[in-house]
Amino acid sequence: MRVRAAGNPAGCLLPPEVNDPMALTLGGGPLDRRAPHPANYRVDGPDGLLFWAPFPRRVRALFGGETVLDTERGMLLHESGLLPQLYVPRADLREDLLTPTAHRTRCPFKGEAHYETVRVGGHTAENAVWSYPEPVPGADWLAGHSAVYGDRMDAWFDEDEEVFGHLRDPYHRVDVRAASRSVRVTVHGVEVAASRRALVLSETGLPNRYYLPEADVRTELLVPSATHTVCPYKGTASYRAVRAGDVTVPDAVWYYPEPLPGARRIAGHLCFLAEGVRTEVDGTALA
């Protein structure tokens, strides 16, 4: 199985349709570096705006069969241009599994980060934990807290449910609605799907995506793909290429065989997006 990862500080895995998710810090949200949506206020501050808020549930991280992190006091750092990152009090980490390293990085908005490696038996996660022992003025609340790279642990749990990709942002949501409008998909001019039974999936900060029932798709034009991606709000996506005449467009369609509860309605439906793919809704092409 091939899993594509989008670059971000938490190492989370995101499908291509979630390459710019909005919550508070991305996609035009109020803490984004870009101008927010029209509003009757202005946010004054540095380029890297920080917002520190409690995560409402217990979180655990496992590595090498040991619990490295177990907290009911986790804090989410919302930072301009980045996905939210969980920080936990040092007392909620297994200090005996951590070894300080000489690795350092510097953030102008938080300070100098110090790193630690996690060692459990013969298993090692290099520089997987970081903290700001002396944060810059204005970010003093970071002192005494540490963060852990999501993809360097073996498993994460939100209460007793394993989570994939990254913890869900409380300010992010997904809505699915039935639509009777005409939806037509072509790939390099070849009609691949047409339906009046599409589902519209609206996800915070992203354009609407139209998911079409499999029965309304020319599945004989779809080619298997080894690609899978993980979305913490919808589940694990599988992909197919589309063969349109002499052209094959890789990973042009995705679907969720077992979507998460908030997106269950899209089970059995497919969505199209790639170079050369055109989706029209009531005759108007989507941007």
mmCIF file with all atom_site columns, all heavy atoms in Angstrom, residues 87 90 112-116 129-134 142 144-147:
data_model
loop_
_atom_site.group_PDB
_atom_site.id
_atom_site.type_symbol
_atom_site.label_atom_id
_atom_site.label_alt_id
_atom_site.label_comp_id
_atom_site.label_asym_id
_atom_site.label_entity_id
_atom_site.label_seq_id
_atom_site.pdbx_PDB_ins_code
_atom_site.Cartn_x
_atom_site.Cartn_y
_atom_site.Cartn_z
_atom_site.occupancy
_atom_site.B_iso_or_equiv
_atom_site.pdbx_formal_charge
_atom_site.auth_seq_id
_atom_site.auth_comp_id
_atom_site.auth_asym_id
_atom_site.auth_atom_id
_atom_site.pdbx_PDB_model_num
ATOM 1   N N   . TYR A 1 87  ? 0.116  19.838 22.448 1.00 0.00 ? 87  TYR A N   1
ATOM 2   C CA  . TYR A 1 87  ? 1.180  19.947 23.441 1.00 0.00 ? 87  TYR A CA  1
ATOM 3   C C   . TYR A 1 87  ? 0.641  19.419 24.761 1.00 0.00 ? 87  TYR A C   1
ATOM 4   O O   . TYR A 1 87  ? -0.541 19.614 25.085 1.00 0.00 ? 87  TYR A O   1
ATOM 5   C CB  . TYR A 1 87  ? 1.620  21.403 23.617 1.00 0.00 ? 87  TYR A CB  1
ATOM 6   C CG  . TYR A 1 87  ? 2.513  21.920 22.517 1.00 0.00 ? 87  TYR A CG  1
ATOM 7   C CD1 . TYR A 1 87  ? 1.986  22.265 21.275 1.00 0.00 ? 87  TYR A CD1 1
ATOM 8   C CD2 . TYR A 1 87  ? 3.882  22.079 22.717 1.00 0.00 ? 87  TYR A CD2 1
ATOM 9   C CE1 . TYR A 1 87  ? 2.814  22.748 20.255 1.00 0.00 ? 87  TYR A CE1 1
ATOM 10  C CE2 . TYR A 1 87  ? 4.710  22.556 21.709 1.00 0.00 ? 87  TYR A CE2 1
ATOM 11  C CZ  . TYR A 1 87  ? 4.168  22.891 20.481 1.00 0.00 ? 87  TYR A CZ  1
ATOM 12  O OH  . TYR A 1 87  ? 4.982  23.360 19.474 1.00 0.00 ? 87  TYR A OH  1
ATOM 13  N N   . ARG A 1 90  ? 4.774  18.147 30.739 1.00 0.00 ? 90  ARG A N   1
ATOM 14  C CA  . ARG A 1 90  ? 5.867  17.179 30.816 1.00 0.00 ? 90  ARG A CA  1
ATOM 15  C C   . ARG A 1 90  ? 5.522  15.994 31.702 1.00 0.00 ? 90  ARG A C   1
ATOM 16  O O   . ARG A 1 90  ? 5.949  14.864 31.445 1.00 0.00 ? 90  ARG A O   1
ATOM 17  C CB  . ARG A 1 90  ? 7.118  17.869 31.364 1.00 0.00 ? 90  ARG A CB  1
ATOM 18  C CG  . ARG A 1 90  ? 7.733  18.884 30.449 1.00 0.00 ? 90  ARG A CG  1
ATOM 19  C CD  . ARG A 1 90  ? 8.341  18.265 29.211 1.00 0.00 ? 90  ARG A CD  1
ATOM 20  N NE  . ARG A 1 90  ? 9.405  17.313 29.509 1.00 0.00 ? 90  ARG A NE  1
ATOM 21  C CZ  . ARG A 1 90  ? 10.134 16.708 28.562 1.00 0.00 ? 90  ARG A CZ  1
ATOM 22  N NH1 . ARG A 1 90  ? 9.899  16.946 27.283 1.00 0.00 ? 90  ARG A NH1 1
ATOM 23  N NH2 . ARG A 1 90  ? 11.086 15.857 28.890 1.00 0.00 ? 90  ARG A NH2 1
ATOM 24  N N   . GLU A 1 112 ? 13.442 28.760 20.657 1.00 0.00 ? 112 GLU A N   1
ATOM 25  C CA  . GLU A 1 112 ? 14.312 27.654 20.248 1.00 0.00 ? 112 GLU A CA  1
ATOM 26  C C   . GLU A 1 112 ? 13.747 26.339 20.759 1.00 0.00 ? 112 GLU A C   1
ATOM 27  O O   . GLU A 1 112 ? 13.524 26.163 21.961 1.00 0.00 ? 112 GLU A O   1
ATOM 28  C CB  . GLU A 1 112 ? 15.725 27.854 20.794 1.00 0.00 ? 112 GLU A CB  1
ATOM 29  C CG  . GLU A 1 112 ? 16.701 26.779 20.304 1.00 0.00 ? 112 GLU A CG  1
ATOM 30  C CD  . GLU A 1 112 ? 18.108 26.992 20.822 1.00 0.00 ? 112 GLU A CD  1
ATOM 31  O OE1 . GLU A 1 112 ? 18.333 26.739 22.038 1.00 0.00 ? 112 GLU A OE1 1
ATOM 32  O OE2 . GLU A 1 112 ? 18.970 27.408 20.023 1.00 0.00 ? 112 GLU A OE2 1
ATOM 33  N N   . ALA A 1 113 ? 13.538 25.396 19.825 1.00 0.00 ? 113 ALA A N   1
ATOM 34  C CA  . ALA A 1 113 ? 13.000 24.090 20.184 1.00 0.00 ? 113 ALA A CA  1
ATOM 35  C C   . ALA A 1 113 ? 14.133 23.116 20.488 1.00 0.00 ? 113 ALA A C   1
ATOM 36  O O   . ALA A 1 113 ? 15.109 23.029 19.736 1.00 0.00 ? 113 ALA A O   1
ATOM 37  C CB  . ALA A 1 113 ? 12.140 23.547 19.044 1.00 0.00 ? 113 ALA A CB  1
ATOM 38  N N   . HIS A 1 114 ? 13.983 22.401 21.599 1.00 0.00 ? 114 HIS A N   1
ATOM 39  C CA  . HIS A 1 114 ? 14.905 21.328 21.976 1.00 0.00 ? 114 HIS A CA  1
ATOM 40  C C   . HIS A 1 114 ? 14.209 19.997 21.720 1.00 0.00 ? 114 HIS A C   1
ATOM 41  O O   . HIS A 1 114 ? 12.997 19.876 21.936 1.00 0.00 ? 114 HIS A O   1
ATOM 42  C CB  . HIS A 1 114 ? 15.272 21.442 23.457 1.00 0.00 ? 114 HIS A CB  1
ATOM 43  C CG  . HIS A 1 114 ? 16.096 22.653 23.770 1.00 0.00 ? 114 HIS A CG  1
ATOM 44  N ND1 . HIS A 1 114 ? 17.103 22.645 24.713 1.00 0.00 ? 114 HIS A ND1 1
ATOM 45  C CD2 . HIS A 1 114 ? 16.066 23.911 23.275 1.00 0.00 ? 114 HIS A CD2 1
ATOM 46  C CE1 . HIS A 1 114 ? 17.659 23.844 24.787 1.00 0.00 ? 114 HIS A CE1 1
ATOM 47  N NE2 . HIS A 1 114 ? 17.039 24.634 23.928 1.00 0.00 ? 114 HIS A NE2 1
ATOM 48  N N   . TYR A 1 115 ? 14.991 19.004 21.295 1.00 0.00 ? 115 TYR A N   1
ATOM 49  C CA  . TYR A 1 115 ? 14.414 17.733 20.864 1.00 0.00 ? 115 TYR A CA  1
ATOM 50  C C   . TYR A 1 115 ? 14.886 16.573 21.734 1.00 0.00 ? 115 TYR A C   1
ATOM 51  O O   . TYR A 1 115 ? 15.960 16.627 22.344 1.00 0.00 ? 115 TYR A O   1
ATOM 52  C CB  . TYR A 1 115 ? 14.771 17.456 19.407 1.00 0.00 ? 115 TYR A CB  1
ATOM 53  C CG  . TYR A 1 115 ? 14.046 18.381 18.441 1.00 0.00 ? 115 TYR A CG  1
ATOM 54  C CD1 . TYR A 1 115 ? 14.455 19.697 18.278 1.00 0.00 ? 115 TYR A CD1 1
ATOM 55  C CD2 . TYR A 1 115 ? 12.940 17.939 17.730 1.00 0.00 ? 115 TYR A CD2 1
ATOM 56  C CE1 . TYR A 1 115 ? 13.788 20.552 17.408 1.00 0.00 ? 115 TYR A CE1 1
ATOM 57  C CE2 . TYR A 1 115 ? 12.268 18.783 16.856 1.00 0.00 ? 115 TYR A CE2 1
ATOM 58  C CZ  . TYR A 1 115 ? 12.694 20.087 16.707 1.00 0.00 ? 115 TYR A CZ  1
ATOM 59  O OH  . TYR A 1 115 ? 12.022 20.926 15.855 1.00 0.00 ? 115 TYR A OH  1
ATOM 60  N N   . GLU A 1 116 ? 14.049 15.526 21.733 1.00 0.00 ? 116 GLU A N   1
ATOM 61  C CA  . GLU A 1 116 ? 14.370 14.298 22.461 1.00 0.00 ? 116 GLU A CA  1
ATOM 62  C C   . GLU A 1 116 ? 14.003 13.095 21.599 1.00 0.00 ? 116 GLU A C   1
ATOM 63  O O   . GLU A 1 116 ? 13.031 13.131 20.832 1.00 0.00 ? 116 GLU A O   1
ATOM 64  C CB  . GLU A 1 116 ? 13.605 14.245 23.779 1.00 0.00 ? 116 GLU A CB  1
ATOM 65  C CG  . GLU A 1 116 ? 14.002 15.342 24.759 1.00 0.00 ? 116 GLU A CG  1
ATOM 66  C CD  . GLU A 1 116 ? 13.039 15.449 25.919 1.00 0.00 ? 116 GLU A CD  1
ATOM 67  O OE1 . GLU A 1 116 ? 11.949 16.004 25.720 1.00 0.00 ? 116 GLU A OE1 1
ATOM 68  O OE2 . GLU A 1 116 ? 13.379 14.965 27.017 1.00 0.00 ? 116 GLU A OE2 1
ATOM 69  N N   . VAL A 1 129 ? 10.223 14.174 19.918 1.00 0.00 ? 129 VAL A N   1
ATOM 70  C CA  . VAL A 1 129 ? 9.582  15.037 20.910 1.00 0.00 ? 129 VAL A CA  1
ATOM 71  C C   . VAL A 1 129 ? 10.316 16.372 20.921 1.00 0.00 ? 129 VAL A C   1
ATOM 72  O O   . VAL A 1 129 ? 11.544 16.417 20.851 1.00 0.00 ? 129 VAL A O   1
ATOM 73  C CB  . VAL A 1 129 ? 9.641  14.395 22.312 1.00 0.00 ? 129 VAL A CB  1
ATOM 74  C CG1 . VAL A 1 129 ? 9.000  15.298 23.357 1.00 0.00 ? 129 VAL A CG1 1
ATOM 75  C CG2 . VAL A 1 129 ? 8.975  13.020 22.298 1.00 0.00 ? 129 VAL A CG2 1
ATOM 76  N N   . TRP A 1 130 ? 9.556  17.469 20.989 1.00 0.00 ? 130 TRP A N   1
ATOM 77  C CA  . TRP A 1 130 ? 10.199 18.773 21.094 1.00 0.00 ? 130 TRP A CA  1
ATOM 78  C C   . TRP A 1 130 ? 9.475  19.648 22.109 1.00 0.00 ? 130 TRP A C   1
ATOM 79  O O   . TRP A 1 130 ? 8.322  19.432 22.436 1.00 0.00 ? 130 TRP A O   1
ATOM 80  C CB  . TRP A 1 130 ? 10.291 19.465 19.738 1.00 0.00 ? 130 TRP A CB  1
ATOM 81  C CG  . TRP A 1 130 ? 9.002  20.045 19.214 1.00 0.00 ? 130 TRP A CG  1
ATOM 82  C CD1 . TRP A 1 130 ? 8.543  21.314 19.387 1.00 0.00 ? 130 TRP A CD1 1
ATOM 83  C CD2 . TRP A 1 130 ? 8.022  19.376 18.418 1.00 0.00 ? 130 TRP A CD2 1
ATOM 84  N NE1 . TRP A 1 130 ? 7.339  21.484 18.750 1.00 0.00 ? 130 TRP A NE1 1
ATOM 85  C CE2 . TRP A 1 130 ? 6.998  20.310 18.140 1.00 0.00 ? 130 TRP A CE2 1
ATOM 86  C CE3 . TRP A 1 130 ? 7.913  18.080 17.901 1.00 0.00 ? 130 TRP A CE3 1
ATOM 87  C CZ2 . TRP A 1 130 ? 5.875  19.984 17.389 1.00 0.00 ? 130 TRP A CZ2 1
ATOM 88  C CZ3 . TRP A 1 130 ? 6.793  17.751 17.154 1.00 0.00 ? 130 TRP A CZ3 1
ATOM 89  C CH2 . TRP A 1 130 ? 5.793  18.693 16.900 1.00 0.00 ? 130 TRP A CH2 1
ATOM 90  N N   . SER A 1 131 ? 10.215 20.644 22.579 1.00 0.00 ? 131 SER A N   1
ATOM 91  C CA  . SER A 1 131 ? 9.652  21.582 23.553 1.00 0.00 ? 131 SER A CA  1
ATOM 92  C C   . SER A 1 131 ? 10.407 22.903 23.455 1.00 0.00 ? 131 SER A C   1
ATOM 93  O O   . SER A 1 131 ? 11.448 22.995 22.800 1.00 0.00 ? 131 SER A O   1
ATOM 94  C CB  . SER A 1 131 ? 9.745  21.005 24.967 1.00 0.00 ? 131 SER A CB  1
ATOM 95  O OG  . SER A 1 131 ? 11.094 20.699 25.290 1.00 0.00 ? 131 SER A OG  1
ATOM 96  N N   . TYR A 1 132 ? 9.864  23.921 24.106 1.00 0.00 ? 132 TYR A N   1
ATOM 97  C CA  . TYR A 1 132 ? 10.480 25.257 24.134 1.00 0.00 ? 132 TYR A CA  1
ATOM 98  C C   . TYR A 1 132 ? 10.769 25.612 25.594 1.00 0.00 ? 132 TYR A C   1
ATOM 99  O O   . TYR A 1 132 ? 9.929  26.196 26.281 1.00 0.00 ? 132 TYR A O   1
ATOM 100 C CB  . TYR A 1 132 ? 9.543  26.284 23.505 1.00 0.00 ? 132 TYR A CB  1
ATOM 101 C CG  . TYR A 1 132 ? 9.308  26.043 22.032 1.00 0.00 ? 132 TYR A CG  1
ATOM 102 C CD1 . TYR A 1 132 ? 8.241  25.251 21.597 1.00 0.00 ? 132 TYR A CD1 1
ATOM 103 C CD2 . TYR A 1 132 ? 10.162 26.581 21.073 1.00 0.00 ? 132 TYR A CD2 1
ATOM 104 C CE1 . TYR A 1 132 ? 8.038  25.003 20.259 1.00 0.00 ? 132 TYR A CE1 1
ATOM 105 C CE2 . TYR A 1 132 ? 9.960  26.341 19.721 1.00 0.00 ? 132 TYR A CE2 1
ATOM 106 C CZ  . TYR A 1 132 ? 8.904  25.556 19.317 1.00 0.00 ? 132 TYR A CZ  1
ATOM 107 O OH  . TYR A 1 132 ? 8.700  25.309 17.978 1.00 0.00 ? 132 TYR A OH  1
ATOM 108 N N   . PRO A 1 133 ? 11.960 25.238 26.090 1.00 0.00 ? 133 PRO A N   1
ATOM 109 C CA  . PRO A 1 133 ? 12.278 25.503 27.508 1.00 0.00 ? 133 PRO A CA  1
ATOM 110 C C   . PRO A 1 133 ? 12.232 26.985 27.855 1.00 0.00 ? 133 PRO A C   1
ATOM 111 O O   . PRO A 1 133 ? 11.874 27.347 28.977 1.00 0.00 ? 133 PRO A O   1
ATOM 112 C CB  . PRO A 1 133 ? 13.694 24.939 27.656 1.00 0.00 ? 133 PRO A CB  1
ATOM 113 C CG  . PRO A 1 133 ? 13.849 23.965 26.532 1.00 0.00 ? 133 PRO A CG  1
ATOM 114 C CD  . PRO A 1 133 ? 13.033 24.501 25.407 1.00 0.00 ? 133 PRO A CD  1
ATOM 115 N N   . GLU A 1 134 ? 12.605 27.846 26.897 1.00 0.00 ? 134 GLU A N   1
ATOM 116 C CA  . GLU A 1 134 ? 12.592 29.288 27.130 1.00 0.00 ? 134 GLU A CA  1
ATOM 117 C C   . GLU A 1 134 ? 11.870 29.968 25.966 1.00 0.00 ? 134 GLU A C   1
ATOM 118 O O   . GLU A 1 134 ? 12.494 30.567 25.087 1.00 0.00 ? 134 GLU A O   1
ATOM 119 C CB  . GLU A 1 134 ? 14.013 29.822 27.276 1.00 0.00 ? 134 GLU A CB  1
ATOM 120 C CG  . GLU A 1 134 ? 14.764 29.240 28.467 1.00 0.00 ? 134 GLU A CG  1
ATOM 121 C CD  . GLU A 1 134 ? 16.169 29.798 28.602 1.00 0.00 ? 134 GLU A CD  1
ATOM 122 O OE1 . GLU A 1 134 ? 16.545 30.671 27.778 1.00 0.00 ? 134 GLU A OE1 1
ATOM 123 O OE2 . GLU A 1 134 ? 16.881 29.368 29.514 1.00 0.00 ? 134 GLU A OE2 1
ATOM 124 N N   . LEU A 1 142 ? 3.969  28.126 26.642 1.00 0.00 ? 142 LEU A N   1
ATOM 125 C CA  . LEU A 1 142 ? 4.543  26.902 26.072 1.00 0.00 ? 142 LEU A CA  1
ATOM 126 C C   . LEU A 1 142 ? 5.506  26.217 27.047 1.00 0.00 ? 142 LEU A C   1
ATOM 127 O O   . LEU A 1 142 ? 5.741  25.009 26.940 1.00 0.00 ? 142 LEU A O   1
ATOM 128 C CB  . LEU A 1 142 ? 5.285  27.222 24.777 1.00 0.00 ? 142 LEU A CB  1
ATOM 129 C CG  . LEU A 1 142 ? 4.446  27.440 23.519 1.00 0.00 ? 142 LEU A CG  1
ATOM 130 C CD1 . LEU A 1 142 ? 5.303  28.019 22.408 1.00 0.00 ? 142 LEU A CD1 1
ATOM 131 C CD2 . LEU A 1 142 ? 3.792  26.142 23.071 1.00 0.00 ? 142 LEU A CD2 1
ATOM 132 N N   . GLY A 1 144 ? 7.122  24.193 29.874 1.00 0.00 ? 144 GLY A N   1
ATOM 133 C CA  . GLY A 1 144 ? 6.595  23.053 30.624 1.00 0.00 ? 144 GLY A CA  1
ATOM 134 C C   . GLY A 1 144 ? 5.748  22.112 29.812 1.00 0.00 ? 144 GLY A C   1
ATOM 135 O O   . GLY A 1 144 ? 5.189  21.157 30.357 1.00 0.00 ? 144 GLY A O   1
ATOM 136 N N   . HIS A 1 145 ? 5.632  22.352 28.506 1.00 0.00 ? 145 HIS A N   1
ATOM 137 C CA  . HIS A 1 145 ? 4.848  21.487 27.623 1.00 0.00 ? 145 HIS A CA  1
ATOM 138 C C   . HIS A 1 145 ? 5.733  20.951 26.496 1.00 0.00 ? 145 HIS A C   1
ATOM 139 O O   . HIS A 1 145 ? 6.722  21.582 26.117 1.00 0.00 ? 145 HIS A O   1
ATOM 140 C CB  . HIS A 1 145 ? 3.676  22.243 27.014 1.00 0.00 ? 145 HIS A CB  1
ATOM 141 C CG  . HIS A 1 145 ? 2.602  22.578 27.991 1.00 0.00 ? 145 HIS A CG  1
ATOM 142 N ND1 . HIS A 1 145 ? 2.727  23.598 28.911 1.00 0.00 ? 145 HIS A ND1 1
ATOM 143 C CD2 . HIS A 1 145 ? 1.370  22.029 28.200 1.00 0.00 ? 145 HIS A CD2 1
ATOM 144 C CE1 . HIS A 1 145 ? 1.634  23.670 29.648 1.00 0.00 ? 145 HIS A CE1 1
ATOM 145 N NE2 . HIS A 1 145 ? 0.794  22.739 29.243 1.00 0.00 ? 145 HIS A NE2 1
ATOM 146 N N   . SER A 1 146 ? 5.364  19.791 25.984 1.00 0.00 ? 146 SER A N   1
ATOM 147 C CA  . SER A 1 146 ? 6.088  19.170 24.875 1.00 0.00 ? 146 SER A CA  1
ATOM 148 C C   . SER A 1 146 ? 5.102  18.673 23.835 1.00 0.00 ? 146 SER A C   1
ATOM 149 O O   . SER A 1 146 ? 3.936  18.404 24.143 1.00 0.00 ? 146 SER A O   1
ATOM 150 C CB  . SER A 1 146 ? 6.951  18.002 25.371 1.00 0.00 ? 146 SER A CB  1
ATOM 151 O OG  . SER A 1 146 ? 7.974  18.455 26.227 1.00 0.00 ? 146 SER A OG  1
ATOM 152 N N   . ALA A 1 147 ? 5.610  18.528 22.605 1.00 0.00 ? 147 ALA A N   1
ATOM 153 C CA  . ALA A 1 147 ? 4.813  17.999 21.493 1.00 0.00 ? 147 ALA A CA  1
ATOM 154 C C   . ALA A 1 147 ? 5.521  16.782 20.915 1.00 0.00 ? 147 ALA A C   1
ATOM 155 O O   . ALA A 1 147 ? 6.737  16.621 21.062 1.00 0.00 ? 147 ALA A O   1
ATOM 156 C CB  . ALA A 1 147 ? 4.610  19.065 20.426 1.00 0.00 ? 147 ALA A CB  1
#
